Amino acid sequence: MAHTASTTADAMEAFRTALRAQTAEPPPATEAPTWLWRLATALHGELPPPDADAWATRLRDLLRTAGAPAGLRAVHVWQTDTVLPLLAEAVDIDTAASADLHRAAARGATADRDTWRAALHPVLLCLHEAAYDRASAYAEGHAGARDYALANGHSAAEADAYGHEYARLSSGANARAFAETHAEALGPALAAAYAADDCPAYADTYPGAQVRAVVRASTARDDGSAAQHLAEGLLTALTAPRR
């Protein structure tokens, strides 16, 4: 009995350690498919340390009890009940079409690739434009343009005004380009994975990076609890009964 308890504790610590290290694959004998592990490492990294380890313990216990999730049903439940409502509130995205597809897919009626792609593209555009680090881009653009103007004989006031105008224009254009690039790359990949209920294909869409984008986009508008909300929602989705 003592040996079993020790082995369980060791496995739990190995699980938490791997999450902290954000390893590419879960530890041996962990009932976590690659797609789930990549979501879990991203969420764990976004949570405060004490909360992160407590959440990791609950996830490990859930996987030991329920086993590995089959297919992408949990992803669809999570998107429907947690991710899309969070985005709709925080970023003012129209998520109705995507939510309908995820809801149907969770019931086993997934749409074809083209339907998924059409619904996902506008959501991905809004998400990644909101997730773009405008503050850093603006500050960098302003500093560079201001210094250029100063070096070319403009007064400090003129250089500062020029820097702000350049930063405003460039950061907006860069945010749109950033969003378009991500939407064009992710849309077809996610659509193909969802249409085929293909777990390895979904794992290859960088789900961890998508989580971080949702957190960045949401945190700009809320009280900073987006990561906690997403983490709790994922645990709920993994145990959600069929509807």
Side-chain angles (χ1 to χ4, degrees):
M1 184 72 71
H3 176 71
T4 300
S6 175
T7 301
T8 301
D10 289 346
M12 181 65 78
E13 185 54 34
F15 185 80
R16 288 193 293 253
T17 299
L19 281 174
R20 293 186 204 112
Q22 298 196 356
T23 60
E25 299 294 335
T30 298
E31 296 288 341
T34 301
W35 67 261
L36 177 56
W37 182 252
R38 290 177 182 172
L39 286 178
T41 55
L43 287 167
H44 187 272
E46 293 291 336
L47 293 169
D51 294 342
D53 279 354
W55 180 80
T57 299
R58 293 167 61 203
L59 175 61
R60 171 66 174 158
D61 286 343
L62 185 156
L63 291 171
R64 287 180 59 220
T65 302
L72 294 175
R73 179 176 174 274
V75 174
H76 295 301
V77 173
W78 185 54
Q79 288 284 337
T80 302
D81 294 347
T82 304
V83 179
L84 292 176
L86 179 65
L87 287 176
E89 180 178 353
V91 192
D92 194 26
I93 298 175
D94 182 0
T95 61
S98 290
D100 286 345
L101 294 184
H102 282 295
R103 193 174 294 110
R107 296 195 299 265
T110 192
D112 61 53
R113 184 183 306 194
D114 290 341
T115 303
W116 273 113
R117 185 173 181 176
L120 291 170
H121 186 77
V123 174
L124 292 169
L125 272 177
C126 290
L127 165 61
H128 286 92
E129 185 162 356
Y132 183 72
D133 188 356
R134 288 175 181 269
S136 295
Y138 189 99
E140 183 178 344
H142 172 264
R146 180 201 59 209
D147 291 349
Y148 173 82
L150 287 171
N152 282 274
H154 292 275
S155 69
E158 290 171 337
D160 186 60
Y162 174 73
H164 281 297
E165 179 63 12
Y166 176 85
R168 182 182 66 80
L169 294 172
S170 65
S171 61
N174 289 340
R176 287 189 294 275
F178 175 85
E180 288 167 1
T181 298
H182 281 78
E184 289 171 7
L186 277 175
L190 282 170
Y194 289 156
D197 195 35
D198 188 333
C199 293
Y202 176 67
D204 287 342
T205 66
Y206 302 96
Q210 294 172 58
V211 164
R212 287 185 282 271
V214 172
V215 171
R216 285 197 302 271
S218 302
T219 301
R221 299 286 187 91
D222 72 5
D223 59 2
S225 63
Q228 187 69 49
H229 185 63
L230 291 167
E232 290 296 325
L234 182 60
L235 294 183
T236 300
L238 288 167
T239 57
R242 289 196 173 274
R243 302 169 182 175

